[in-house]
Every structure is written in C-alpha cells, then in structure tokens.
Amino acid sequence: MTETETGTGPGRPAPATATGTGRGNGAGADPAGGPDGGADEAAAVARRTRSERHLRILQQVGERGAANVLDLSAWLAVSQATVRRDLRFLSEQGLLRRTHGGGVAVDNGLELPLRRKADSFRAQKRAIAQAAVRLVAEGDAVGLTGGTTTLEIARLLATRGQITVVTNAINIAAELAPQPQIRLIMTGGHARSQTYELVGPGAERALGEHHMDIAFLGVDGIGAARGCTTHDPLEAATNRAFVEGSSRAVVVADHSKVGKATLARICPIEMVTSLITDEDVDPEEAARIGARGVRVTRATET
C-alpha cells in the first residue's frame, strides 16, 4: 500500500466477475429433498447474481452519470435483454431513469443500506483503512463513526496494541469487544438500522464526556463547498460531536463520496484535519479541498 499527495484522475471500473447467468447446478442439494432442493438452490443463486448486477449497474451509473445497454452487457457478461430487464426494474424502483438504450442517474437522496455499501469499492476501502491506522499511536484514544471504511479500520486497530476506541457503531463494537488490548467505550443513543449506529442526544452527551486524540469519520459526501454531509440529520449531529471532541478529525471516504453532498451537513470543511481517499479521486475536487487547509492523502493498495 502506498500513499500519494497527487491524483491520477478518475479510473475505469474493474471488470465484474462474469456471474450474471443466474444458473445454479444444485449439485450440493440434499438428495432426500428431491428435485425441489436443486430448484431452490438455483433460485437462490439467480436472486444473488441479479442483486449483484443491480448493485454494479447503480455503481456504474452513479460514477459516470449514465450507462448504455451495450457497455453494461459486455461489462457484466450477460445478454442485452438481461440488462434491459435490470434497467427496467431499477427504473421502477426509482433508482435510475430509463432512457433509450440505457439509463441515467437520478439525484433522489436515497441511502443504501450498510450491507450493500460494503460491496462497493472493497479494495479502495482496505487501502484507505491501511493508511488511516498508520496515524494511530499506541495509547491513543480513537473515535470511530459507523461506516464500511471505519469498520475496516476497526479490524486493523485490533493489532495496534493498547488503545481506547470510542464508537457509536454497534457492528464495530461487536468486532472489537473480544479484543483484550482494546479499551472499548460505546455511546448510548437511538439505533439506525441502515448504518448500525447509535445516534441522537444520548450519543451526543456521551461523546461530549470524552476526548479523542483522533476521530475517523465515515461520510456520504465531502466537498470544498458543502463540507461533510450524510443522509440523516440525527447521524449528522452525532458525527459532528465526534469532530468537536477530537484533536484531529480524519474523513475516510472512497472517491465516489468526494465532491458529493447529501441532505444533512456534519461540519464545514475547515473542521476536517485530513481526508484519506483513493487514487481515483477527482483531482480538481481534491485540489479544492486541499486549498481549504485539509491534507488530502490518496491511498493505493499494492
């Protein structure tokens, strides 16, 4: 993993695994179940591969603003008829707008559940997490908001020696609770099922009683103009309490979040110490953020 201070510009997505045929062989079914066992397995595989295609299509459209049937068919290794059915379904769900020959993005402010976010940009998030933990010294008090990248950080922190972790994320607490070298402090608050976070006045009061040497923030958007944003106002207020209670506020966000703004503002960009992102970040937006006094690091997994 390497870190750079200069960007190489947006990159093309890596080719998707060619699992879009939706077939299952049913060979592992219990013989006692008869033909229905194989049919059930095949149906489960079909549902899984269909969901994977939908997520990849949304990622492609979200990154580029639009995608056409021909390119999607080649990228996903499925027929054009399959892509058209997928686009029709996603359009009916309000996740994109169907056009002649493809689909375009819609700005509807919808928030993807955490389990679906976890499938996005896995390699980039691992690289960002590796760069982030290098900023942590033994004995530090570390704040972690919820998010897929902060969860990757939590997993790496388990090997960093004696540290204190303050978090409002239920899944991060579950990850770290068995680690005897980690002193874990969990906030109270109201649980958000979309992100597994505890938010609201209870969480904010708990955070106000602790000081963190460094806090890592997961966000839904970060930009020079609008600062850090997320989808939920309660989550935004809780995340701001992390920023205010730390000596250093470090945003960890893959390139798809940079230059984007969502509903609820967490804090202005001037309150952020550093942004750790990946090498596919828009260099112009990264430069604008850097010009506001934020150190921008581009992490690359090697």
Side-chain angles (χ1 to χ4, degrees):
M1 190 275 298
T2 60
E3 301 170 24
T4 65
E5 294 300 317
T6 58
T8 57
R12 295 181 63 85
T17 304
T19 57
T21 58
R23 297 190 182 96
N25 58 23
D30 185 350
D36 288 344
D40 289 345
E41 182 178 351
V45 171
R47 286 193 298 271
R48 184 176 67 249
T49 54
R50 186 168 56 248
S51 295
E52 291 169 353
R53 288 198 314 273
H54 290 170
L55 180 59
R56 289 178 175 132
I57 289 170
L58 289 173
Q59 290 172 351
Q60 182 82 331
V61 172
E63 287 183 19
R64 300 186 170 203
N68 64 61
V69 170
L70 185 62
D71 288 346
L72 288 172
S73 174
W75 185 48
L76 297 169
V78 296
S79 70
Q80 293 182 33
T82 296
V83 172
R84 290 189 185 95
R85 285 194 296 270
D86 289 341
L87 291 172
R88 185 180 308 114
F89 173 82
L90 293 170
S91 177
E92 290 170 353
Q93 300 301 308
L95 298 174
L96 56 76
R97 181 165 60 83
R98 187 81 167 87
T99 63
H100 179 70
V104 298
V106 293
D107 186 12
N108 54 15
L110 293 179
E111 178 178 14
L112 289 177
L114 192 68
R115 284 174 290 182
R116 290 187 64 184
K117 290 181 181 179
D119 292 329
S120 304
F121 310 112
R122 284 181 181 270
Q124 291 93 329
K125 290 174 180 178
R126 283 193 296 267
I128 291 167
Q130 289 164 6
V133 297
R134 293 165 65 93
L135 302 177
V136 177
E138 187 167 359
D140 274 353
V142 181
L144 291 175
T145 71
T148 52
T149 306
T150 49
L151 179 58
E152 291 287 344
I153 294 172
R155 290 166 176 160
L156 294 175
L157 286 176
T159 65
R160 297 292 288 184
Q162 300 286 334
I163 60 172
T164 298
V165 172
V166 181
T167 187
N168 66 326
I170 298 168
N171 56 337
I172 287 176
E175 190 83 24
L176 295 178
Q179 304 297 329
Q181 74 279 16
I182 302 289
R183 182 187 182 194
L184 179 64
I185 298 173
M186 184 76 181
T187 72
H190 170 72
R192 291 196 71 225
S193 60
Q194 295 94 329
T195 60
Y196 306 150
E197 288 177 285
L198 300 177
V199 299
E204 293 164 42
R205 283 194 297 271
L207 290 166
E209 295 173 357
H210 296 89
H211 174 264
M212 294 154 281
D213 297 294
I214 187 169
F216 294 107
L217 276 75
V219 301
D220 291 306
I222 178 171
R226 297 295 301 162
C228 300
T229 57
T230 189
H231 288 279
D232 181 73
L234 284 178
E235 181 182 333
T238 301
N239 285 358
R240 185 181 179 104
F242 274 98
V243 175
E244 294 174 340
S246 64
S247 295
R248 292 176 290 165
V250 179
V251 172
V252 287
D254 66 70
H255 67 275
S256 70
K257 312 288 181 59
V258 179
K260 178 180 178 182
T262 55
L263 174 67
R265 194 182 198 194
I266 298 169
C267 65
I269 198 67
E270 289 79 8
M271 294 183 71
V272 175
T273 307
S274 303
L275 164 65
I276 305 178
T277 186
D278 60 73
E279 63 178 345
D280 292 330
V281 67
D282 176 6
E284 294 183 357
E285 183 62 27
R288 284 190 288 268
I289 292 172
R292 303 294 287 271
V294 178
R295 180 173 183 243
V296 178
T297 297
R298 299 164 179 83
T300 306
E301 190 171 45
T302 57

